[in-house]
Amino acid sequence: SILPNSNKLLHAMPKHVFNVAMTCSGCSGAVERVLKKQNATSIDIDMAAQTVTVESAMSKDDLLAVIAKTGKECSYKTTLA
């Protein structure tokens, strides 16, 4: 039988948006690599807007700390619903 609340297990994780100073594909690649090591569900890098959107079970503070390890100037922007 199918449980009525079983779909909650498939609910999307929050998507956090960060401002990250990236000047080249090497910069964005470094950010993507450190986030992949943290098992991020999805990573969307927008070089033009200088933003990184991350879907992950990690908190926004933990994700910001991971991104900061790349040496790039970064800050938390918002969380998407």
Side-chain angles (χ1 to χ4, degrees):
S1 70
I2 297 174
L3 299 172
N5 294 327
S6 63
N7 65 342
K8 287 185 177 178
L9 296 173
L10 301 174
H11 190 269
M13 289 179 246
K15 287 187 178 182
H16 301 293
V17 183
F18 302 91
N19 296 306
V20 184
M22 299 171 288
T23 55
C24 65
S25 61
C27 296
S28 61
V31 171
E32 187 172 8
R33 279 191 300 280
V34 296
L35 291 169
K36 281 184 176 178
K37 286 182 183 174
Q38 301 300 320
N39 296 319
T41 303
S42 74
I43 304 162
D44 181 33
I45 296 176
D46 185 335
M47 289 282 290
Q50 299 283 290
T51 59
V52 177
T53 305
V54 186
E55 185 176 352
S56 172
M58 292 176 68
S59 72
K60 66 181 188 292
D61 294 331
D62 288 344
L63 288 167
L64 184 61
V66 167
I67 295 168
K69 286 181 183 176
T70 64
K72 308 296 170 216
E73 187 177 323
C74 57
S75 61
Y76 171 74
K77 185 173 182 180
T78 189
T79 298
L80 304 175

